[in-house]
Amino acid sequence: MYSKETTVKNQVGLHARPATFFIQKANEFKSSIWIEKDDRRVNAKSLLGVLSLGIAQDVSVNIIADGSDEQQAVDALCELVNSNFNE
């Protein structure tokens, strides 16, 4: 299991369009991946799960993966978040 904390700096947070990009990237990996905010952890490959966290701008989240490509998955998702979803 591998995890990293990152802060969402995107102006609209992790909603609709950015969440879709996040989920598409998560689905590129074989590992099980979760995103955690406060004490809630959801499947990072689920749009409803990610949106249910209500992640706004300047909110810190943990990205957690478990599987054969766990480190690559977490690093790629953190990079996507840090790039402000290429906006």
Coordinates of all heavy atoms in Angstrom, one line a residue:
M1 N 0.9 -1.2 0.0 CA 0.0 0.0 0.0 C 0.9 1.2 0.0 O 1.9 1.3 0.7 CB -0.9 0.0 1.2 CG -2.0 1.1 1.1 SD -3.3 0.9 2.3 CE -4.1 -0.5 1.8
Y2 N 0.5 2.2 -0.8 CA 1.3 3.4 -1.0 C 0.4 4.6 -1.0 O -0.7 4.5 -1.5 CB 2.1 3.4 -2.3 CG 3.0 4.5 -2.6 CD1 4.2 4.7 -2.0 CD2 2.6 5.5 -3.5 CE1 5.0 5.8 -2.2 CE2 3.4 6.6 -3.8 CZ 4.6 6.7 -3.2 OH 5.4 7.8 -3.4
S3 N 0.7 5.7 -0.2 CA -0.2 6.8 -0.2 C 0.6 8.1 -0.2 O 1.8 8.1 0.2 CB -1.1 6.8 1.0 OG -0.4 7.0 2.2
K4 N 0.0 9.2 -0.6 CA 0.6 10.5 -0.6 C -0.5 11.6 -0.3 O -1.6 11.4 -0.8 CB 1.2 10.8 -2.0 CG 2.6 11.4 -2.0 CD 3.0 11.6 -3.4 CE 4.4 11.1 -3.6 NZ 4.9 11.5 -4.9
E5 N -0.1 12.6 0.3 CA -1.1 13.7 0.5 C -0.8 14.8 -0.5 O 0.4 15.1 -0.8 CB -0.9 14.3 2.0 CG -2.0 15.3 2.3 CD -1.9 15.8 3.7 OE1 -1.4 15.0 4.6 OE2 -2.4 16.9 4.0
T6 N -1.8 15.4 -1.0 CA -1.7 16.5 -1.9 C -2.9 17.5 -1.7 O -3.9 17.1 -1.0 CB -1.7 16.0 -3.4 OG1 -1.4 17.1 -4.2 CG2 -3.1 15.4 -3.8
T7 N -2.7 18.7 -2.1 CA -3.7 19.8 -1.9 C -4.3 20.2 -3.3 O -3.6 20.5 -4.2 CB -3.1 21.0 -1.2 OG1 -2.6 20.6 0.0 CG2 -4.2 22.1 -1.0
V8 N -5.6 20.2 -3.4 CA -6.3 20.6 -4.6 C -6.3 22.1 -4.7 O -6.8 22.8 -3.8 CB -7.8 20.0 -4.6 CG1 -8.5 20.5 -5.8 CG2 -7.8 18.5 -4.5
K9 N -5.6 22.6 -5.7 CA -5.5 24.1 -5.9 C -6.4 24.6 -7.0 O -6.6 25.8 -7.1 CB -4.0 24.4 -6.2 CG -3.0 24.2 -5.1 CD -3.3 25.1 -4.0 CE -2.2 25.0 -2.9 NZ -2.5 25.8 -1.7
N10 N -7.0 23.7 -7.7 CA -7.9 24.0 -8.8 C -9.1 24.9 -8.3 O -9.6 24.7 -7.2 CB -8.5 22.7 -9.4 CG -9.2 22.9 -10.7 OD1 -8.8 23.7 -11.5 ND2 -10.3 22.2 -10.8
Q11 N -9.4 25.9 -9.0 CA -10.4 26.9 -8.6 C -11.7 26.3 -8.2 O -12.4 26.7 -7.2 CB -10.6 28.0 -9.6 CG -11.4 29.2 -9.2 CD -11.4 30.3 -10.2 OE1 -11.0 30.1 -11.4 NE2 -11.9 31.4 -9.8
V12 N -12.2 25.3 -8.9 CA -13.5 24.7 -8.7 C -13.4 23.5 -7.8 O -14.4 22.8 -7.5 CB -14.3 24.4 -9.9 CG1 -14.6 25.7 -10.7 CG2 -13.5 23.4 -10.8
G13 N -12.2 23.1 -7.4 CA -12.0 21.9 -6.6 C -12.1 20.7 -7.5 O -11.8 20.7 -8.7
L14 N -12.5 19.6 -6.9 CA -12.6 18.3 -7.6 C -14.0 18.0 -7.9 O -14.7 17.2 -7.3 CB -11.9 17.2 -6.8 CG -11.6 15.9 -7.5 CD1 -10.7 16.2 -8.7 CD2 -10.8 15.0 -6.5
H15 N -14.6 18.8 -8.9 CA -15.9 18.7 -9.3 C -16.0 18.4 -10.8 O -15.1 18.8 -11.5 CB -16.7 20.0 -8.9 CG -16.8 20.2 -7.4 ND1 -17.6 19.5 -6.6 CD2 -16.1 21.1 -6.7 CE1 -17.4 19.9 -5.4 NE2 -16.5 20.9 -5.4
A16 N -17.1 17.8 -11.2 CA -17.5 17.5 -12.6 C -16.3 17.3 -13.5 O -15.8 16.2 -13.6 CB -18.4 18.6 -13.1
R17 N -15.8 18.3 -14.2 CA -14.8 18.1 -15.2 C -13.5 17.6 -14.6 O -12.9 16.6 -15.1 CB -14.6 19.4 -16.0 CG -13.7 19.3 -17.2 CD -13.9 20.5 -18.1 NE -12.8 20.6 -19.1 CZ -11.7 21.3 -18.9 NH1 -11.5 22.0 -17.9 NH2 -10.8 21.3 -19.9
P18 N -12.9 18.3 -13.6 CA -11.7 17.8 -13.0 C -11.8 16.4 -12.4 O -10.9 15.5 -12.5 CB -11.3 18.8 -11.9 CG -12.1 20.0 -12.2 CD -13.3 19.5 -13.0
A19 N -13.0 16.1 -11.9 CA -13.2 14.7 -11.3 C -13.2 13.7 -12.4 O -12.7 12.6 -12.2 CB -14.5 14.7 -10.5
T20 N -13.7 14.0 -13.6 CA -13.7 13.1 -14.7 C -12.3 12.8 -15.1 O -11.9 11.7 -15.4 CB -14.6 13.7 -15.9 OG1 -15.9 13.9 -15.4 CG2 -14.6 12.7 -17.1
F21 N -11.5 13.8 -15.2 CA -10.0 13.6 -15.6 C -9.4 12.7 -14.5 O -8.6 11.9 -14.9 CB -9.3 15.0 -15.7 CG -9.7 15.8 -16.8 CD1 -9.7 17.2 -16.7 CD2 -10.1 15.3 -18.0 CE1 -10.1 18.0 -17.8 CE2 -10.4 16.1 -19.1 CZ -10.4 17.4 -19.0
F22 N -9.6 13.0 -13.3 CA -9.0 12.2 -12.2 C -9.4 10.7 -12.3 O -8.6 9.9 -12.2 CB -9.5 12.8 -10.8 CG -8.9 12.2 -9.6 CD1 -7.7 12.7 -9.2 CD2 -9.5 11.1 -9.0 CE1 -7.1 12.1 -8.1 CE2 -8.9 10.6 -7.9 CZ -7.7 11.1 -7.4
I23 N -10.7 10.5 -12.5 CA -11.2 9.1 -12.6 C -10.6 8.4 -13.9 O -10.2 7.2 -13.8 CB -12.7 9.1 -12.6 CG1 -13.2 9.5 -11.2 CG2 -13.3 7.7 -13.0 CD1 -14.5 10.1 -11.2
Q24 N -10.5 9.1 -15.0 CA -10.0 8.5 -16.2 C -8.5 8.1 -16.0 O -8.1 7.1 -16.4 CB -10.0 9.5 -17.4 CG -11.4 9.7 -17.9 CD -11.6 10.8 -18.9 OE1 -10.7 11.7 -19.0 NE2 -12.6 10.8 -19.7
K25 N -7.8 9.0 -15.3 CA -6.4 8.7 -15.0 C -6.3 7.5 -14.0 O -5.5 6.6 -14.2 CB -5.7 9.9 -14.4 CG -4.2 9.7 -14.0 CD -3.3 9.3 -15.2 CE -3.0 10.5 -16.0 NZ -2.0 10.1 -17.1
A26 N -7.1 7.4 -13.0 CA -7.1 6.3 -12.0 C -7.4 5.0 -12.7 O -6.8 4.0 -12.4 CB -8.2 6.6 -10.9
N27 N -8.3 5.0 -13.7 CA -8.7 3.8 -14.4 C -7.6 3.3 -15.3 O -7.7 2.2 -15.9 CB -10.0 4.0 -15.2 CG -11.2 3.8 -14.3 OD1 -11.3 2.8 -13.6 ND2 -12.0 4.9 -14.3
E28 N -6.5 4.0 -15.5 CA -5.4 3.6 -16.3 C -4.5 2.6 -15.5 O -3.7 1.9 -16.1 CB -4.5 4.7 -16.7 CG -5.1 5.7 -17.7 CD -4.3 6.9 -18.0 OE1 -3.1 6.9 -17.7 OE2 -4.8 7.8 -18.7
F29 N -4.8 2.4 -14.3 CA -4.0 1.6 -13.4 C -4.7 0.3 -12.9 O -5.9 0.4 -12.7 CB -3.4 2.4 -12.2 CG -2.6 3.5 -12.7 CD1 -3.1 4.8 -12.8 CD2 -1.2 3.3 -13.0 CE1 -2.4 5.9 -13.2 CE2 -0.5 4.4 -13.4 CZ -1.0 5.7 -13.5
K30 N -4.0 -0.7 -12.7 CA -4.6 -2.0 -12.2 C -4.9 -2.0 -10.7 O -5.8 -2.6 -10.2 CB -3.6 -3.2 -12.5 CG -3.5 -3.4 -14.0 CD -2.5 -4.5 -14.2 CE -2.2 -4.7 -15.7 NZ -1.2 -5.7 -16.0
S31 N -4.1 -1.2 -10.0 CA -4.2 -1.1 -8.5 C -5.6 -0.6 -8.1 O -6.3 0.1 -8.8 CB -3.2 -0.2 -7.9 OG -1.9 -0.7 -8.1
S32 N -6.0 -1.0 -6.9 CA -7.2 -0.4 -6.2 C -6.7 0.9 -5.7 O -5.7 1.1 -5.1 CB -7.6 -1.3 -5.0 OG -8.1 -2.5 -5.5
I33 N -7.5 2.0 -6.0 CA -7.1 3.3 -5.6 C -8.3 4.0 -4.9 O -9.4 3.9 -5.3 CB -6.8 4.2 -6.9 CG1 -5.7 3.4 -7.7 CG2 -6.3 5.5 -6.5 CD1 -5.5 4.0 -9.1
W34 N -7.9 4.7 -3.8 CA -8.9 5.4 -3.0 C -8.4 6.9 -2.9 O -7.3 7.2 -2.9 CB -9.1 4.8 -1.6 CG -9.5 3.4 -1.7 CD1 -10.8 2.9 -1.7 CD2 -8.6 2.3 -1.6 NE1 -10.7 1.6 -1.7 CE2 -9.4 1.1 -1.7 CE3 -7.2 2.1 -1.6 CZ2 -8.9 -0.2 -1.7 CZ3 -6.7 0.8 -1.6 CH2 -7.6 -0.3 -1.6
I35 N -9.4 7.7 -2.6 CA -9.1 9.1 -2.3 C -9.8 9.4 -0.9 O -10.9 9.0 -0.7 CB -9.5 10.1 -3.4 CG1 -9.1 11.6 -3.0 CG2 -11.0 10.0 -3.7 CD1 -9.2 12.6 -4.2
E36 N -9.0 10.0 0.0 CA -9.5 10.2 1.3 C -9.5 11.7 1.7 O -8.5 12.4 1.5 CB -8.6 9.4 2.2 CG -9.0 9.3 3.7 CD -8.0 8.4 4.4 OE1 -6.9 8.8 4.6 OE2 -8.5 7.3 4.9
K37 N -10.6 12.1 2.3 CA -10.7 13.5 2.8 C -11.3 13.4 4.2 O -12.3 12.7 4.4 CB -11.7 14.3 1.9 CG -12.0 15.7 2.5 CD -13.1 16.4 1.7 CE -13.6 17.5 2.4 NZ -15.0 17.9 2.1
D38 N -10.6 13.9 5.1 CA -11.0 13.8 6.6 C -11.0 12.3 6.9 O -10.0 11.6 6.7 CB -12.3 14.5 6.9 CG -12.2 16.0 6.5 OD1 -11.1 16.6 6.7 OD2 -13.2 16.6 6.1
D39 N -12.1 11.8 7.3 CA -12.2 10.4 7.7 C -13.0 9.6 6.7 O -13.4 8.4 6.9 CB -12.9 10.3 9.1 CG -12.0 10.8 10.2 OD1 -10.8 10.8 10.0 OD2 -12.6 11.2 11.2
R40 N -13.3 10.2 5.5 CA -14.0 9.5 4.5 C -13.1 9.0 3.4 O -12.3 9.8 2.8 CB -15.1 10.4 3.9 CG -16.2 10.6 4.9 CD -17.5 11.2 4.3 NE -18.0 10.3 3.2 CZ -18.5 10.8 2.1 NH1 -18.6 12.1 1.8 NH2 -18.9 10.0 1.1
R41 N -13.2 7.7 3.0 CA -12.4 7.2 1.9 C -13.4 6.6 0.9 O -14.3 5.8 1.2 CB -11.5 6.1 2.5 CG -10.6 5.4 1.4 CD -9.8 4.3 1.9 NE -8.8 4.7 2.9 CZ -7.9 4.0 3.4 NH1 -7.8 2.7 3.0 NH2 -7.0 4.5 4.2
V42 N -13.1 7.0 -0.4 CA -14.0 6.4 -1.5 C -13.1 5.9 -2.6 O -11.9 6.2 -2.7 CB -14.9 7.5 -2.1 CG1 -15.9 8.1 -1.0 CG2 -14.2 8.7 -2.7
N43 N -13.7 5.1 -3.4 CA -13.1 4.5 -4.6 C -12.7 5.7 -5.6 O -13.6 6.4 -6.0 CB -14.0 3.5 -5.3 CG -13.4 2.8 -6.4 OD1 -12.4 3.2 -7.0 ND2 -14.0 1.7 -6.8
A44 N -11.5 5.8 -5.9 CA -11.0 6.9 -6.8 C -11.4 6.6 -8.3 O -11.3 7.5 -9.1 CB -9.5 7.1 -6.7
K45 N -12.0 5.5 -8.6 CA -12.4 5.1 -9.9 C -13.9 5.3 -10.1 O -14.5 5.0 -11.1 CB -12.0 3.7 -10.3 CG -10.5 3.5 -10.3 CD -10.1 2.1 -10.6 CE -8.6 1.9 -10.6 NZ -8.2 0.6 -10.9
S46 N -14.6 5.9 -9.0 CA -16.0 6.1 -9.0 C -16.4 7.6 -9.0 O -16.0 8.3 -8.1 CB -16.6 5.4 -7.8 OG -17.9 5.9 -7.5
L47 N -17.0 8.0 -10.1 CA -17.4 9.4 -10.2 C -18.3 9.9 -9.0 O -18.0 10.9 -8.4 CB -18.1 9.7 -11.5 CG -18.5 11.2 -11.7 CD1 -17.3 12.1 -11.7 CD2 -19.3 11.3 -13.0
L48 N -19.3 9.1 -8.7 CA -20.2 9.4 -7.6 C -19.4 9.5 -6.3 O -19.7 10.3 -5.4 CB -21.4 8.5 -7.5 CG -22.4 8.7 -8.6 CD1 -23.5 7.6 -8.5 CD2 -23.0 10.0 -8.5
G49 N -18.5 8.5 -6.1 CA -17.7 8.5 -4.9 C -16.9 9.7 -4.7 O -16.9 10.4 -3.7
V50 N -16.2 10.1 -5.8 CA -15.3 11.3 -5.7 C -16.1 12.5 -5.5 O -15.7 13.4 -4.7 CB -14.4 11.3 -7.0 CG1 -13.6 12.6 -7.1 CG2 -13.4 10.2 -7.1
L51 N -17.2 12.7 -6.2 CA -18.0 13.9 -6.1 C -18.6 14.0 -4.7 O -18.8 15.1 -4.2 CB -19.1 13.9 -7.2 CG -18.6 14.1 -8.6 CD1 -19.8 14.0 -9.6 CD2 -17.9 15.5 -8.8
S52 N -18.9 12.8 -4.1 CA -19.6 12.8 -2.8 C -18.7 13.4 -1.7 O -19.2 13.8 -0.6 CB -20.0 11.4 -2.4 OG -18.9 10.6 -2.0
L53 N -17.4 13.5 -1.9 CA -16.5 14.0 -0.9 C -16.5 15.6 -0.9 O -16.1 16.2 0.1 CB -15.0 13.6 -1.2 CG -14.7 12.1 -1.0 CD1 -13.2 11.9 -1.4 CD2 -15.0 11.7 0.4
G54 N -17.0 16.2 -1.9 CA -17.2 17.6 -2.0 C -15.8 18.4 -1.8 O -15.7 19.3 -1.0
I55 N -14.9 18.0 -2.5 CA -13.5 18.5 -2.4 C -13.4 19.9 -3.1 O -13.6 20.0 -4.3 CB -12.5 17.6 -3.0 CG1 -12.5 16.2 -2.2 CG2 -11.1 18.2 -2.9 CD1 -11.8 15.1 -2.9
A56 N -13.2 20.9 -2.3 CA -13.1 22.3 -2.8 C -11.7 22.7 -2.9 O -10.7 22.0 -2.6 CB -13.8 23.2 -1.8
Q57 N -11.5 23.9 -3.4 CA -10.1 24.5 -3.5 C -9.4 24.5 -2.2 O -10.1 24.8 -1.1 CB -10.2 25.9 -4.1 CG -8.9 26.5 -4.4 CD -9.0 27.9 -5.1 OE1 -10.0 28.5 -5.0 NE2 -7.9 28.3 -5.8
D58 N -8.1 24.3 -2.2 CA -7.3 24.3 -1.0 C -7.6 23.3 0.1 O -7.3 23.4 1.2 CB -7.3 25.7 -0.3 CG -6.7 26.8 -1.3 OD1 -5.7 26.5 -2.0 OD2 -7.2 27.9 -1.2
V59 N -8.2 22.2 -0.4 CA -8.5 21.1 0.5 C -7.4 20.0 0.3 O -7.1 19.6 -0.8 CB -9.9 20.5 0.3 CG1 -10.1 19.2 1.0 CG2 -10.9 21.5 0.7
S60 N -6.8 19.5 1.4 CA -5.9 18.4 1.3 C -6.5 17.0 1.3 O -7.5 16.8 2.0 CB -4.9 18.4 2.5 OG -4.1 19.6 2.4
V61 N -6.0 16.2 0.5 CA -6.6 14.8 0.3 C -5.4 13.8 0.4 O -4.3 14.2 0.0 CB -7.4 14.6 -0.9 CG1 -8.6 15.5 -0.9 CG2 -6.6 14.8 -2.2
N62 N -5.7 12.6 0.7 CA -4.8 11.5 0.6 C -5.2 10.6 -0.6 O -6.4 10.3 -0.7 CB -4.7 10.6 1.9 CG -4.0 11.3 3.0 OD1 -2.9 11.9 2.8 ND2 -4.5 11.2 4.2
I63 N -4.2 10.3 -1.4 CA -4.4 9.3 -2.5 C -3.7 8.0 -2.1 O -2.5 8.1 -1.8 CB -4.0 9.9 -3.8 CG1 -4.7 11.2 -4.1 CG2 -4.2 8.9 -4.9 CD1 -4.2 12.0 -5.3
I64 N -4.5 7.0 -2.1 CA -4.0 5.7 -1.6 C -4.2 4.6 -2.7 O -5.2 4.6 -3.3 CB -4.7 5.3 -0.3 CG1 -4.7 6.4 0.7 CG2 -4.2 3.9 0.2 CD1 -5.9 6.5 1.6
A65 N -3.2 3.8 -2.9 CA -3.3 2.7 -3.9 C -2.7 1.4 -3.3 O -1.8 1.5 -2.5 CB -2.6 3.1 -5.2
D66 N -3.2 0.3 -3.7 CA -2.7 -1.0 -3.3 C -2.8 -1.9 -4.5 O -3.8 -2.2 -5.1 CB -3.6 -1.5 -2.2 CG -3.0 -2.8 -1.6 OD1 -1.8 -3.0 -1.7 OD2 -3.8 -3.6 -1.0
G67 N -1.6 -2.4 -5.0 CA -1.5 -3.2 -6.1 C -0.2 -3.2 -6.8 O 0.8 -2.6 -6.3
S68 N -0.1 -3.8 -7.9 CA 1.2 -4.0 -8.6 C 1.8 -2.6 -9.1 O 3.0 -2.5 -9.2 CB 1.0 -4.9 -9.8 OG 0.1 -4.4 -10.7
D69 N 0.9 -1.7 -9.4 CA 1.4 -0.4 -9.9 C 1.0 0.8 -9.0 O 0.8 1.9 -9.4 CB 0.9 -0.1 -11.3 CG -0.6 -0.2 -11.5 OD1 -1.3 -0.5 -10.5 OD2 -1.1 -0.1 -12.6
E70 N 1.0 0.5 -7.7 CA 0.5 1.4 -6.7 C 1.3 2.8 -6.7 O 0.7 3.8 -6.6 CB 0.4 0.8 -5.3 CG 1.7 0.4 -4.8 CD 1.6 -0.5 -3.5 OE1 0.6 -1.2 -3.3 OE2 2.6 -0.5 -2.7
Q71 N 2.6 2.7 -6.7 CA 3.4 3.9 -6.6 C 3.2 4.8 -7.8 O 3.0 6.0 -7.7 CB 4.8 3.6 -6.4 CG 5.6 4.9 -6.1 CD 7.0 4.6 -5.6 OE1 7.4 3.5 -5.3 NE2 7.8 5.6 -5.5
Q72 N 3.2 4.2 -9.0 CA 3.0 4.9 -10.3 C 1.6 5.5 -10.3 O 1.4 6.7 -10.7 CB 3.1 4.0 -11.5 CG 4.5 3.4 -11.7 CD 4.6 2.0 -11.0 OE1 4.0 1.7 -10.0 NE2 5.5 1.2 -11.6
A73 N 0.6 4.8 -9.8 CA -0.8 5.4 -9.7 C -0.9 6.6 -8.9 O -1.4 7.6 -9.3 CB -1.7 4.3 -9.3
V74 N -0.4 6.5 -7.6 CA -0.4 7.6 -6.7 C 0.3 8.8 -7.2 O -0.1 9.9 -7.2 CB 0.0 7.2 -5.3 CG1 0.2 8.4 -4.4 CG2 -0.9 6.2 -4.7
D75 N 1.6 8.6 -7.7 CA 2.4 9.6 -8.3 C 1.7 10.3 -9.4 O 1.7 11.6 -9.5 CB 3.8 9.1 -8.6 CG 4.6 8.8 -7.4 OD1 4.3 9.2 -6.3 OD2 5.6 8.0 -7.6
A76 N 1.1 9.6 -10.3 CA 0.5 10.1 -11.5 C -0.8 11.0 -11.1 O -1.0 12.0 -11.7 CB 0.1 9.0 -12.5
L77 N -1.5 10.5 -10.2 CA -2.7 11.2 -9.7 C -2.3 12.5 -9.0 O -3.0 13.5 -9.1 CB -3.6 10.3 -8.9 CG -4.3 9.2 -9.7 CD1 -5.0 8.2 -8.8 CD2 -5.4 9.8 -10.6
C78 N -1.3 12.4 -8.2 CA -0.8 13.6 -7.5 C -0.3 14.6 -8.5 O -0.6 15.8 -8.3 CB 0.3 13.3 -6.5 SG -0.3 12.5 -5.0
E79 N 0.4 14.2 -9.5 CA 0.9 15.1 -10.6 C -0.3 15.7 -11.3 O -0.2 16.9 -11.5 CB 1.7 14.3 -11.5 CG 2.4 15.1 -12.6 CD 3.3 14.3 -13.5 OE1 4.1 13.5 -13.0 OE2 3.2 14.5 -14.7
L80 N -1.4 15.0 -11.5 CA -2.5 15.6 -12.2 C -3.2 16.6 -11.3 O -3.5 17.7 -11.8 CB -3.6 14.5 -12.5 CG -4.9 14.9 -13.1 CD1 -4.6 15.5 -14.5 CD2 -5.8 13.7 -13.2
V81 N -3.3 16.3 -10.0 CA -3.9 17.3 -9.1 C -3.0 18.6 -9.0 O -3.5 19.7 -9.1 CB -4.1 16.7 -7.7 CG1 -4.4 17.8 -6.7 CG2 -5.1 15.6 -7.7
N82 N -1.7 18.4 -8.9 CA -0.8 19.5 -8.8 C -0.7 20.3 -10.1 O -0.3 21.5 -10.0 CB 0.6 19.0 -8.4 CG 0.6 18.4 -7.0 OD1 -0.2 18.8 -6.2 ND2 1.5 17.5 -6.8
S83 N -1.1 19.8 -11.2 CA -1.1 20.5 -12.5 C -2.4 21.3 -12.7 O -2.6 21.9 -13.8 CB -0.9 19.5 -13.7 OG -2.1 18.8 -13.9
N84 N -3.2 21.3 -11.7 CA -4.6 21.9 -11.7 C -5.4 21.3 -12.9 O -6.2 22.0 -13.5 CB -4.5 23.4 -11.9 CG -4.0 24.1 -10.6 OD1 -4.2 23.6 -9.5 ND2 -3.2 25.2 -10.8
F85 N -5.2 20.0 -13.1 CA -6.0 19.3 -14.1 C -5.8 19.9 -15.5 O -6.7 19.9 -16.3 CB -7.4 19.2 -13.7 CG -7.6 18.6 -12.4 CD1 -7.7 19.4 -11.2 CD2 -7.7 17.2 -12.2 CE1 -7.8 18.8 -10.0 CE2 -7.8 16.7 -11.0 CZ -7.9 17.5 -9.9
N86 N -4.6 20.4 -15.7 CA -4.1 20.9 -17.0 C -5.0 22.1 -17.5 O -5.3 22.3 -18.7 CB -4.1 19.8 -18.1 CG -3.1 18.7 -17.7 OD1 -2.0 19.0 -17.3 ND2 -3.5 17.5 -17.8
E87 N -5.6 22.8 -16.6 CA -6.4 24.0 -17.0 C -5.6 25.2 -17.1 O -4.7 25.5 -16.4 CB -7.6 24.1 -16.0 CG -8.5 23.0 -16.1 CD -9.8 23.2 -15.2 OE1 -9.7 24.0 -14.3 OE2 -10.7 22.5 -15.5

